[in-house]
Amino acid sequence: MDGTFDHVMIRVEDLEESLDWYQTHLNYEEKGRWEADTFTNVFLGPEDVHEDGALLELTYNHDGRSYEIGDAWGHIAVRVPEDALQESYDQLMEEGVDDYRDPESCGNRYAFVKDPDGHEIEIVKRDHGAKWSIDHTMIRVEDADAALGYWTRKFEYTEQPSGRWEADTFSNYFVAPDDAPEEAMKLELTYNYDGREYTMGDGWGHVAVRVDDLDDAWETLLTREAPDYRDPASCDHNYAFTKDQDGHEVELVTRD
Protein backbone atom coordinates (compact mmCIF):
# COMPACT_ATOMS: atom_id res chain seq x y z
CA MET A 1 0.00 0.00 0.00
CA ASP A 2 1.42 3.36 -1.00
CA GLY A 3 0.56 6.80 0.24
CA THR A 4 0.89 9.39 2.95
CA PHE A 5 -1.96 11.21 4.65
CA ASP A 6 -3.37 13.76 2.24
CA HIS A 7 -5.78 15.70 4.44
CA VAL A 8 -8.08 15.66 7.43
CA MET A 9 -11.68 16.83 7.08
CA ILE A 10 -13.79 18.70 9.63
CA ARG A 11 -17.33 20.06 9.29
CA VAL A 12 -18.04 23.72 10.03
CA GLU A 13 -21.27 25.63 10.60
CA ASP A 14 -20.15 29.01 9.22
CA LEU A 15 -17.71 28.73 6.33
CA GLU A 16 -16.70 32.38 6.21
CA GLU A 17 -16.08 32.51 9.95
CA SER A 18 -13.95 29.35 9.80
CA LEU A 19 -11.99 30.56 6.78
CA ASP A 20 -11.29 33.86 8.51
CA TRP A 21 -10.16 32.06 11.68
CA TYR A 22 -7.70 29.73 9.96
CA GLN A 23 -6.43 32.35 7.55
CA THR A 24 -5.98 34.98 10.27
CA HIS A 25 -4.58 32.92 13.12
CA LEU A 26 -2.72 30.08 11.36
CA ASN A 27 -1.85 32.02 8.20
CA TYR A 28 -3.48 29.35 6.06
CA GLU A 29 -4.26 29.99 2.43
CA GLU A 30 -6.83 28.38 0.20
CA LYS A 31 -5.33 25.49 -1.78
CA GLY A 32 -8.47 24.23 -3.50
CA ARG A 33 -12.25 24.43 -3.47
CA TRP A 34 -15.13 22.22 -4.58
CA GLU A 35 -18.51 23.91 -4.94
CA ALA A 36 -21.54 21.61 -5.17
CA ASP A 37 -25.25 22.32 -5.01
CA THR A 38 -25.58 21.29 -1.38
CA PHE A 39 -22.09 21.67 0.09
CA THR A 40 -18.73 23.40 -0.27
CA ASN A 41 -15.29 21.88 0.43
CA VAL A 42 -12.30 24.18 0.95
CA PHE A 43 -8.72 22.91 1.37
CA LEU A 44 -6.32 25.01 3.46
CA GLY A 45 -2.67 24.95 4.45
CA PRO A 46 0.41 27.12 4.97
CA GLU A 47 1.83 28.85 1.91
CA ASP A 48 4.99 26.72 2.04
CA VAL A 49 3.43 23.39 3.01
CA HIS A 50 5.61 20.40 2.10
CA GLU A 51 4.62 18.46 -1.03
CA ASP A 52 3.78 15.50 1.22
CA GLY A 53 2.26 17.67 3.92
CA ALA A 54 -1.40 17.25 4.84
CA LEU A 55 -4.06 19.87 4.24
CA LEU A 56 -7.14 20.76 6.26
CA GLU A 57 -10.47 20.27 4.51
CA LEU A 58 -13.40 22.38 5.71
CA THR A 59 -16.78 20.96 4.73
CA TYR A 60 -19.76 23.32 4.82
CA ASN A 61 -23.24 21.95 4.18
CA HIS A 62 -25.70 24.50 2.83
CA ASP A 63 -28.70 23.31 4.85
CA GLY A 64 -27.75 25.10 8.07
CA ARG A 65 -27.25 21.94 10.13
CA SER A 66 -25.34 21.92 13.40
CA TYR A 67 -22.85 19.30 14.57
CA GLU A 68 -21.80 17.32 17.62
CA ILE A 69 -18.05 16.99 18.14
CA GLY A 70 -18.18 13.69 20.03
CA ASP A 71 -15.05 12.29 21.66
CA ALA A 72 -13.85 9.58 19.25
CA TRP A 73 -11.83 12.25 17.43
CA GLY A 74 -9.36 14.20 19.53
CA HIS A 75 -7.53 16.96 17.72
CA ILE A 76 -5.29 18.06 14.94
CA ALA A 77 -1.80 19.20 15.94
CA VAL A 78 0.04 22.05 14.23
CA ARG A 79 3.76 22.77 14.38
CA VAL A 80 5.69 25.74 15.69
CA PRO A 81 9.48 26.04 16.07
CA GLU A 82 11.01 24.38 19.13
CA ASP A 83 11.67 27.71 20.85
CA ALA A 84 8.45 29.42 19.81
CA LEU A 85 5.66 27.65 21.71
CA GLN A 86 4.98 30.40 24.24
CA GLU A 87 5.31 33.29 21.79
CA SER A 88 3.08 31.52 19.28
CA TYR A 89 0.42 30.94 21.95
CA ASP A 90 0.73 34.55 23.13
CA GLN A 91 0.26 35.72 19.55
CA LEU A 92 -3.00 33.77 19.29
CA MET A 93 -4.21 35.25 22.58
CA GLU A 94 -3.41 38.78 21.36
CA GLU A 95 -5.42 38.06 18.22
CA GLY A 96 -8.47 37.16 20.29
CA VAL A 97 -8.33 33.34 20.29
CA ASP A 98 -9.89 31.91 23.44
CA ASP A 99 -7.49 30.72 26.16
CA TYR A 100 -8.05 26.95 26.42
CA ARG A 101 -4.90 25.12 27.61
CA ASP A 102 -1.81 27.31 27.80
CA PRO A 103 1.78 26.01 27.61
CA GLU A 104 2.34 26.22 31.37
CA SER A 105 -0.67 23.99 32.07
CA CYS A 106 0.82 21.43 29.65
CA GLY A 107 4.32 21.38 31.13
CA ASN A 108 5.54 23.76 28.39
CA ARG A 109 5.57 20.80 25.99
CA TYR A 110 2.48 21.77 23.99
CA ALA A 111 -0.72 23.85 24.21
CA PHE A 112 -4.28 23.75 22.93
CA VAL A 113 -6.80 26.13 21.39
CA LYS A 114 -10.20 25.59 19.77
CA ASP A 115 -11.56 26.78 16.44
CA PRO A 116 -15.00 28.45 16.14
CA ASP A 117 -16.79 25.07 16.02
CA GLY A 118 -14.97 23.59 19.01
CA HIS A 119 -12.46 21.40 17.18
CA GLU A 120 -9.36 21.10 19.37
CA ILE A 121 -6.02 22.18 17.91
CA GLU A 122 -2.82 21.19 19.65
CA ILE A 123 0.29 23.32 19.19
CA VAL A 124 3.44 21.19 19.21
CA LYS A 125 7.14 22.03 19.10
CA ARG A 126 8.91 20.69 16.02
CA ASP A 127 12.22 21.41 14.31
CA HIS A 128 10.78 20.50 10.90
CA GLY A 129 7.90 21.55 8.70
CA ALA A 130 6.33 24.92 8.00
CA LYS A 131 4.94 26.85 10.96
CA TRP A 132 1.31 25.86 11.63
CA SER A 133 1.53 22.86 9.25
CA ILE A 134 -0.34 19.75 10.40
CA ASP A 135 1.87 17.41 12.41
CA HIS A 136 -0.67 14.75 13.33
CA THR A 137 -4.33 13.97 13.87
CA MET A 138 -5.37 12.22 17.07
CA ILE A 139 -8.19 9.67 17.32
CA ARG A 140 -9.31 7.65 20.33
CA VAL A 141 -9.53 3.88 20.04
CA GLU A 142 -11.18 1.26 22.23
CA ASP A 143 -8.66 -1.54 21.56
CA ALA A 144 -5.03 -0.53 21.06
CA ASP A 145 -3.98 -3.89 19.64
CA ALA A 146 -6.81 -3.85 17.11
CA ALA A 147 -6.06 -0.28 16.10
CA LEU A 148 -2.36 -0.91 15.59
CA GLY A 149 -3.20 -4.07 13.69
CA TYR A 150 -5.61 -2.23 11.42
CA TRP A 151 -3.09 0.40 10.32
CA THR A 152 -0.12 -1.95 10.05
CA ARG A 153 -2.00 -4.70 8.20
CA LYS A 154 -4.40 -2.74 6.02
CA PHE A 155 -2.18 0.21 5.12
CA GLU A 156 1.31 -1.15 5.90
CA TYR A 157 1.96 1.77 8.21
CA THR A 158 4.58 1.42 10.92
CA GLU A 159 4.52 2.51 14.52
CA GLN A 160 6.87 5.45 15.04
CA PRO A 161 9.03 4.47 18.06
CA SER A 162 10.01 8.06 18.87
CA GLY A 163 6.35 9.02 19.18
CA ARG A 164 5.12 6.32 21.59
CA TRP A 165 4.06 7.57 25.00
CA GLU A 166 3.20 5.02 27.67
CA ALA A 167 1.54 6.46 30.79
CA ASP A 168 -0.16 4.91 33.80
CA THR A 169 -3.70 5.46 32.53
CA PHE A 170 -3.29 5.79 28.74
CA SER A 171 -0.96 5.20 25.80
CA ASN A 172 -0.35 7.15 22.63
CA TYR A 173 0.92 5.47 19.46
CA PHE A 174 1.91 7.27 16.26
CA VAL A 175 1.64 5.50 12.89
CA ALA A 176 2.70 6.56 9.40
CA PRO A 177 4.15 5.05 6.22
CA ASP A 178 7.66 3.78 6.85
CA ASP A 179 9.18 6.00 4.16
CA ALA A 180 7.10 9.12 4.78
CA PRO A 181 9.08 12.36 5.20
CA GLU A 182 9.01 13.88 8.67
CA GLU A 183 6.92 16.77 7.30
CA ALA A 184 4.08 14.34 6.51
CA MET A 185 1.14 13.99 8.88
CA LYS A 186 1.07 11.11 11.35
CA LEU A 187 -1.92 9.49 13.01
CA GLU A 188 -1.95 9.41 16.81
CA LEU A 189 -3.91 6.54 18.37
CA THR A 190 -4.92 7.28 21.96
CA TYR A 191 -5.94 4.34 24.14
CA ASN A 192 -7.30 4.86 27.65
CA TYR A 193 -7.00 1.93 30.06
CA ASP A 194 -10.35 2.46 31.80
CA GLY A 195 -12.41 0.65 29.16
CA ARG A 196 -14.38 3.70 28.11
CA GLU A 197 -16.38 3.86 24.89
CA TYR A 198 -16.55 6.83 22.54
CA THR A 199 -19.17 8.79 20.62
CA MET A 200 -18.25 9.47 16.99
CA GLY A 201 -20.28 12.65 16.54
CA ASP A 202 -20.37 14.35 13.15
CA GLY A 203 -18.21 17.45 13.64
CA TRP A 204 -15.24 15.47 12.35
CA GLY A 205 -15.31 13.79 8.95
CA HIS A 206 -12.32 11.66 7.99
CA VAL A 207 -8.62 11.31 7.38
CA ALA A 208 -7.61 10.83 3.74
CA VAL A 209 -4.79 8.62 2.46
CA ARG A 210 -3.22 9.47 -0.89
CA VAL A 211 -2.69 6.49 -3.21
CA ASP A 212 -1.26 6.10 -6.70
CA ASP A 213 -4.00 3.86 -8.09
CA LEU A 214 -7.43 4.06 -6.50
CA ASP A 215 -8.81 0.76 -7.79
CA ASP A 216 -5.66 -1.22 -6.94
CA ALA A 217 -5.53 0.25 -3.45
CA TRP A 218 -9.21 -0.53 -2.91
CA GLU A 219 -8.78 -4.16 -3.98
CA THR A 220 -5.81 -4.50 -1.64
CA LEU A 221 -7.89 -3.20 1.27
CA LEU A 222 -10.73 -5.60 0.52
CA THR A 223 -8.27 -8.49 0.34
CA ARG A 224 -7.04 -7.45 3.78
CA GLU A 225 -10.64 -7.43 5.02
CA ALA A 226 -11.10 -3.69 5.44
CA PRO A 227 -14.77 -2.65 5.62
CA ASP A 228 -16.40 -2.09 2.22
CA TYR A 229 -18.04 1.25 3.00
CA ARG A 230 -18.10 3.38 -0.19
CA ASP A 231 -16.32 1.77 -3.12
CA PRO A 232 -14.76 3.70 -6.03
CA ALA A 233 -17.71 3.01 -8.35
CA SER A 234 -20.16 4.57 -5.88
CA CYS A 235 -17.96 7.70 -5.80
CA ASP A 236 -17.59 8.05 -9.61
CA HIS A 237 -14.07 6.65 -9.28
CA ASN A 238 -12.89 9.94 -7.75
CA TYR A 239 -12.30 8.53 -4.26
CA ALA A 240 -13.47 5.76 -1.92
CA PHE A 241 -14.08 5.23 1.79
CA THR A 242 -13.43 2.53 4.34
CA LYS A 243 -13.59 2.61 8.14
CA ASP A 244 -11.28 1.55 10.93
CA GLN A 245 -12.26 -0.85 13.71
CA ASP A 246 -13.93 1.94 15.71
CA GLY A 247 -15.79 3.55 12.82
CA HIS A 248 -13.46 6.46 11.97
CA GLU A 249 -13.83 7.10 8.25
CA VAL A 250 -10.76 6.77 6.02
CA GLU A 251 -10.88 8.21 2.52
CA LEU A 252 -8.69 7.05 -0.37
CA VAL A 253 -7.76 9.81 -2.83
CA THR A 254 -5.39 10.35 -5.71
CA ARG A 255 -3.60 13.65 -6.16
CA ASP A 256 -1.27 14.77 -8.94
Side-chain angles (χ1 to χ4, degrees):
M1 177 70 67
D2 48 33
T4 57
F5 285 112
D6 184 80
H7 65 266
V8 56
M9 186 273 267
I10 60 175
R11 298 184 178 94
V12 301
E13 296 183 10
D14 185 323
L15 180 59
E16 294 309 315
E17 180 182 21
S18 293
L19 284 173
D20 179 70
W21 195 91
Y22 282 98
Q23 291 171 337
T24 297
H25 302 307
L26 302 190
N27 295 322
Y28 279 10
E29 64 178 26
E30 190 169 321
K31 302 292 189 180
R33 180 181 287 241
W34 184 7
E35 297 278 3
D37 292 338
T38 59
F39 65 89
T40 301
N41 295 338
V42 182
F43 294 85
L44 301 171
E47 178 183 5
D48 52 349
V49 65
H50 189 273
E51 64 179 358
D52 284 319
L55 299 180
L56 178 67
E57 177 186 0
L58 306 181
T59 290
Y60 171 67
N61 288 292
H62 300 168
D63 55 8
R65 73 184 73 176
S66 58
Y67 302 103
E68 295 293 332
I69 294 296
D71 58 4
W73 294 82
H75 58 258
I76 60 170
V78 296
R79 305 177 179 110
V80 298
E82 289 278 355
D83 60 352
L85 176 61
Q86 187 65 55
E87 69 179 67
S88 298
Y89 194 83
D90 291 343
Q91 173 191 333
L92 295 177
M93 297 302 99
E94 292 169 3
E95 294 170 352
V97 174
D98 291 339
D99 185 1
Y100 178 43
R101 295 179 62 189
D102 64 14
E104 183 177 1
S105 71
C106 301
N108 292 306
R109 294 174 298 184
Y110 48 86
F112 281 87
V113 295
K114 290 184 177 182
D115 77 359
D117 292 280
H119 301 97
E120 293 189 13
I121 301 168
E122 183 183 16
I123 306 166
V124 296
K125 298 187 287 186
R126 296 290 186 264
D127 60 3
H128 57 267
K131 185 175 183 180
W132 304 123
S133 59
I134 298 177
D135 183 77
H136 64 267
T137 293
M138 186 273 269
I139 62 175
R140 297 185 178 93
V141 301
E142 296 182 8
D143 184 325
D145 293 323
L148 288 168
Y150 176 90
W151 286 100
T152 57
R153 179 166 180 257
K154 268 63 168 181
F155 286 89
E156 298 175 26
Y157 283 12
T158 59
E159 184 185 342
Q160 309 295 295
S162 61
R164 177 185 281 222
W165 186 3
E166 298 277 1
D168 292 337
T169 59
F170 68 91
S171 295
N172 295 335
Y173 308 95
F174 290 80
V175 295
D178 189 49
D179 59 351
E182 59 185 0
E183 294 89 352
M185 187 184 92
K186 297 176 178 62
L187 186 67
E188 177 185 2
L189 310 174
T190 292
Y191 173 66
N192 289 290
Y193 292 144
D194 55 9
R196 71 184 72 176
E197 298 178 348
Y198 301 104
T199 301
M200 194 61 63
D202 56 5
W204 292 83
H206 57 258
V207 291
V209 174
R210 190 187 317 162
V211 297
D212 291 333
D213 187 297
L214 182 62
D215 292 317
D216 284 352
W218 183 253
E219 289 305 315
T220 297
L221 286 178
L222 293 187
T223 298
R224 295 172 183 173
E225 301 174 315
D228 183 354
Y229 179 41
R230 296 177 61 190
D231 66 13
S234 70
C235 302
D236 295 325
H237 294 279
N238 292 316
Y239 46 85
F241 281 88
T242 185
K243 291 184 178 183
D244 74 1
Q245 73 293 326
D246 289 297
H248 302 95
E249 294 187 12
V250 183
E251 183 182 20
L252 301 184
V253 298
T254 57
R255 191 171 83 181
D256 295 331

